[in-house]
Amino acid sequence: MEAAAVPIGHGHGHAHGHDAPGHDHHGHEHHGPPPANKSSRVDAPMLGMLLFIISEVMVFGAFFTAYFFIRIVQGQEWPAEGDHLPKLIAGINTLILVSSSFTLHWAEVSIKENNRRGLQAGIASTFLLGATFLFIQINEYVNIGFAPQDHAQGTIFYGLTGLHGAHVLIGLLALLTVTIRAFRGHFSAHDHRGIEIPGIYWHFVDVMWIVVYLTVYII
Amino acid sequence: MAAKLRAPGLLRAGVLTLVGIAFAAILDLTVRAATNAEPLVNGEAITLVALLAAPFFFLGGLGAFDEWLYWASGKPSRPEDHSGHGATSWKDYFRVNTDHKVIGVQYVVTSFFFMLVGGLLAMLVRAELAAPGAQFVDPNTYNGLFSVHASLMIFLFIIPVFAGMANYVLPLMIGAPDMAFPRLNALSFWMLPIAGVMMTLSFFAPGGSFATGWTAYAPLSTEVPMGQMFFTIGVQFAGASSIATALNFLVTIITMRAPGMSFWRMPLLVWANFATSLLVVIATPFVAASQLFVLLDYALGFNFFNVERGGDVLMYQHVFWFYSHPAVYIMMLPGFGIISEVLAVKSRKPIFGYRMMAFSLLAIVLLGFTVWAHHMFVSGMQPWIRVPMMITTAIIAVPTGIKIFSWLATIWRGVLHLDTPMLWSLGFITMFVLGGISGVMLAIIPIDIHVSDTYFVVAHIHYVLYGGSVFTIFAGIYYWFPKMTGRMFDERLGKVHFWMTFVSFNLTFAPMHLIGVQGMPRRVADYTEQFAGWNMFISLASFLLGLSTLVFVYNVVASWRGGTRAEANPWRAMTLEWQVSSPPPIFNFDAVPTVVGGPYEYGVPGAVHGVFRPAGQPDPHAKEPAGASARADAAGATHHGGTET
């Protein structure tokens, strides 16, 4: 209709990108797209992260299916004869990982109150707790006394805990970038989405570990 | 030269791919030296690590991660300057482009490239099968031919070509300036050629290409030569690509619809992609996991499928089909959306039962997760699973039937325009009904047991995937060709293409039902004399089918280069993508339109779908369908690439 006629002018403010020191505005002609209509109260990146988490849950679901087939359908002894799962150490490790969710929450609350020190302390301790968890997990692999090649129980034990460990690693990389940005002066009381979205992922990694711990070690 | 190397692009990608291969070799040698593995230099192990690592180096070289790495390094935020947007020359199609229209074209062209490769493989399969006995390939090569054919057609053609068409038109249809995550969109596309090249290159692997069918059942797939890994790893990239795109579609549809476009005013193509994306996000992780199990068993000696050490072989089939049954709907639902668009426009009638069309899509999504074991009736699984799966499979035909009857009611007493897109749509309905009926036959356990692994199954899959999905793809390509390229296609050649395909398709695949019921096994390079006559007939018909595709390719290439200029709205359609110029301006809209009515009110006096001004202002054109005057206005709009030669 009447639209699509004249290219609209400059100066469409963009939600992303606040300051542009030295950005060349004159060299070439460009204009931005019209601002999109917001048809949902849900924040787009947050929704994207939630959908990503759904697909992640399904990846774990497939591994739990394998676990179910080996332990229930095949009726294999759990753990395999002669093997021993370190419930206590893994339990302590669980507490370490769960506590990192609380320090992360502390970091988020702090920045909402414009408390940068709290943000930095919270995010750094979250990162360190996560790294500790991963270190203890690797240490457990070294000392556990069986390998994935030994039997199907070993395969699915390493499969589930390894899949989770890979997610901890991804979460740690995300937390690392947040930590770098937190110490470089980014984020404020009004701009903290960059913490919340990796944050949701980290909480998911924590909750997933509780499920893995309960099924693999406890039941 | 140095500056050219530093700039993101194909050159840097090529160099970094080589770096990635070197990295894989060094990593592998280091680990093997550290663990005293024998022999130290293992070409297979290096290839395997390179297959996993090199694609990331390639993507990094192309520039897919530049912006994210910049963000992660904690530097100050850069404003988006939209330099990654749009295309002014063909070179812009070979870089990380964040424009959904460019990405749509990239997707469609790439998919059709792999369709031609896959089609060529099918021709070789038919040439081998033209007569009993060995013609020119050995049985293992033959197994490779049909395996790569199926994998390319499924993972590199049908699934992504739908994603490509939706990428182009879906944001326009809902009045959005772009997809929700443009950079993720670009990354999704560029993972696709990686998967395709990997699968195609498997022919050069030691021991030949993967030859286990596209289903890659374990433990066969964990014990064959390493060509199998080109499939196992390629699927990971194709799967990641399709999950990322689906996530992008869902977020775009939920958060970026134009004002006034409620869910019940969305065009059915948008609904179809909404439903498909739900399936992809939920189901595709399962195929990724199943191939990860195979990879771990194959490369590291895990025991997922090693029965001697307590593994479970049937688990593979359960996990695989929990994805791959929904996958047949991933390959069909977007086509349902295309047909709904075309039939309403070409019959000049509102869609019959719009809400039931949307609900039946959602019903298929739900039921799609409850039928997977009907692929396993003869697998030796627990017999009690069979009957429930037979019942759910019969039930899932109901929402599909609702759609068929709604389409028939839509064209009932319509003013039919029997042009190329419409012919493909009507062809789809007839062929898909036949494929659906043989599908219900296969759901019946005794019949399934009788015809399992025969040509009856081959006939069924081609009636639903070729007569079904591919016909809808052609309908959609012809329908949106003017919008995507700004040119009209040759209508006469389009009709020749349709009739040639329609006739030779039936000549090729209909006899397969017959020889299938008589017991000709699929996936075998040889057969008894008894089937010689029909197979020669089928092979000749299939070569005609192959030729018909060349008519399409010629039509598209010639029309894209020199076809007559397309108007903004050659089909007089109401949906929003036709209310902007052809091809659309670089940012789609100058201002987001307002939606004031349903998308299919054809023949309803005074009906309007979208208006390009804030709601509430007087509209002098209210009496004519929206967009009737778009052509004149669009003349001055900012055109973007696609037509340059």
Side-chain angles (χ1 to χ4, degrees), chain A residues 4 31 37 39 149 152 155 181, chain B residues 254 257 300 303 309 587 637:
Chain A
H31 60 88
N37 180 50
S39 56
Q149 287 85 355
T155 293
R181 288 179 76 82
Chain B
I254 293 172
R257 280 168 290 126
L300 298 176
N303 300 304
R309 293 177 188 255
F587 294 119

Side-chain angles (χ1 to χ4, degrees), chain B residues 249-553:
Chain B
F249 280 143
L250 285 173
V251 176
T252 308
I253 294 169
I254 293 172
T255 66
M256 292 173 75
R257 280 168 290 126
M261 179 166 281
S262 65
F263 264 66
W264 297 116
R265 280 179 181 168
M266 293 195 312
L268 283 169
L269 182 92
V270 181
W271 264 110
N273 276 284
F274 184 78
T276 310
S277 301
L278 281 175
L279 278 173
V280 172
V281 166
I282 297 170
T284 307
F286 263 65
V287 78
S290 71
Q291 298 313 310
L292 195 58
F293 297 156
V294 170
L295 180 65
L296 289 170
D297 269 21
Y298 180 93
L300 298 176
F302 278 42
N303 300 304
F304 282 106
F305 310 118
N306 185 349
V307 180
E308 285 152 33
R309 293 177 188 255
D312 192 316
V313 174
L314 273 184
M315 185 267 286
Y316 177 88
Q317 296 186 28
H318 281 290
V319 173
F320 179 82
W321 287 114
F322 191 75
Y323 159 75
S324 293
H325 193 79
V328 308
Y329 297 107
I330 292 169
M331 291 181 260
M332 197 60 260
L333 297 190
F336 287 172
I338 293 171
I339 295 305
S340 301
E341 298 298 322
V342 175
L343 285 182
V345 172
K346 300 291 177 190
S347 310
R348 312 310 300 169
K349 271 186 66 192
I351 277 283
F352 181 88
Y354 169 87
R355 285 196 181 214
M356 280 315 285
M357 289 291 237
F359 278 129
S360 59
L361 286 168
L362 296 177
I364 291 173
V365 170
L366 278 178
L367 289 168
F369 288 106
T370 63
V371 300
W372 77 91
H374 69 215
H375 296 270
M376 301 167 60
F377 284 158
V378 296
S379 67
M381 66 176 178
Q382 293 81 345
W384 63 265
I385 307 178
R386 286 178 178 177
V387 171
M389 288 290 166
M390 174 175 84
I391 294 169
T392 50
T393 307
I395 291 174
I396 204 169
V398 173
T400 316
I402 290 175
K403 301 195 79 71
I404 301 275
F405 284 111
S406 297
W407 286 323
L408 293 179
T410 301
I411 56 177
W412 179 256
R413 296 194 170 173
V415 185
L416 301 195
H417 294 245
L418 286 175
D419 55 5
T420 309
M422 184 62 162
L423 283 176
W424 283 104
S425 303
L426 297 176
F428 156 79
I429 293 179
T430 52
M431 293 302 98
F432 188 70
V433 165
L434 292 179
I437 289 171
S438 62
V440 175
M441 285 169 75
L442 284 166
I444 312 299
I445 299 166
I447 296 179
D448 183 84
I449 290 172
H450 178 67
V451 296
S452 253
D453 274 324
T454 67
Y455 263 79
F456 190 85
V457 177
V458 178
H460 164 69
I461 192 69
H462 285 93
Y463 266 87
V464 288
L465 277 191
Y466 200 137
S469 305
V470 179
F471 276 35
T472 69
I473 290 165
F474 282 131
I477 290 291
Y478 282 112
Y479 181 68
W480 283 298
F481 186 84
K483 184 55 61 183
M484 294 173 85
T485 62
R487 306 273 184 164
M488 294 306 287
F489 54 86
D490 185 328
E491 177 66 28
R492 206 165 45 88
L493 281 178
K495 282 184 173 146
V496 168
H497 174 212
F498 170 76
W499 285 112
M500 242 177 111
T501 308
F502 187 77
V503 171
S504 56
F505 166 81
N506 279 294
L507 294 180
T508 305
F509 294 107
M512 288 185 185
H513 291 107
L514 214 63
I515 56 175
V517 171
Q518 290 170 3
M520 176 166 162
R522 65 168 178 168
R523 295 180 171 176
V524 181
D526 194 8
Y527 51 86
T528 61
E529 279 298 331
Q530 173 194 356
F531 303 119
W534 271 125
N535 270 291
M536 177 55 84
F537 180 83
I538 290 171
S539 287
L540 292 177
S542 76
F543 298 146
L544 192 63
L545 187 57
L547 283 179
S548 76
T549 307
L550 296 184
V551 177
F552 168 73
V553 172

Side-chain angles (χ1 to χ4, degrees), chain A residues 1-8 12 14 16-21 23 25 28 30-40 42-49 51-52 54-56 58-59 61-63 65-67 69-70 73-74 76 147-156 158-159 163 174 176-178 180-181 184 186-187 194 198, chain B residues 70-82 176-177 180-181 243 247 250-251 253-260 281-283 285-286 289 292-293 296-297 300-304 309-312 314-315 318-319 322 382 579-581 585-592 610-613 619 621 626-627 629-630 633-634 636-638:
Chain A
M1 306 230 18
E2 278 69 30
V6 198
I8 37 169
H12 273 271
H14 292 295
H16 36 283
H18 337 259
D19 49 338
H23 182 69
H25 260 295
H28 51 286
H30 69 256
H31 60 88
N37 180 50
K38 265 187 78 69
S39 56
S40 165
V42 192
D43 194 30
M46 185 58 87
L47 183 62
M49 180 49 88
L51 289 167
F52 179 62
I54 289 176
S55 78
E56 291 278 51
M58 293 309 288
V59 175
F63 275 73
T65 308
Y67 165 86
F69 269 88
I70 286 163
V73 178
Q74 292 275 316
Q76 303 288 351
Q149 287 85 355
D150 292 348
H151 38 60
Q153 293 96 317
T155 293
I156 195 60
Y158 278 91
L163 179 74
L176 183 65
T177 68
V178 176
I180 290 171
R181 288 179 76 82
R184 283 202 164 200
H186 294 272
F187 307 125
Chain B
Y70 184 87
W71 190 89
S73 68
K75 293 188 185 133
S77 319
R78 282 192 291 210
E80 171 69 55
D81 67 352
H82 302 287
F181 308 118
I243 293 175
L247 187 155
L250 285 173
V251 176
I253 294 169
I254 293 172
T255 66
M256 292 173 75
R257 280 168 290 126
V281 166
I282 297 170
F286 263 65
L292 195 58
F293 297 156
L296 289 170
D297 269 21
L300 298 176
F302 278 42
N303 300 304
F304 282 106
R309 293 177 188 255
D312 192 316
L314 273 184
M315 185 267 286
H318 281 290
V319 173
F322 191 75
Q382 293 81 345
Q579 317 313 326
V580 292
S581 59
I586 185 162
F587 294 119
N588 295 355
F589 307 102
D590 295 332
V592 167
V611 289
F612 283 85
R613 70 178 58 72
D619 180 0
H621 299 292
S629 61
D633 298 322
T638 317

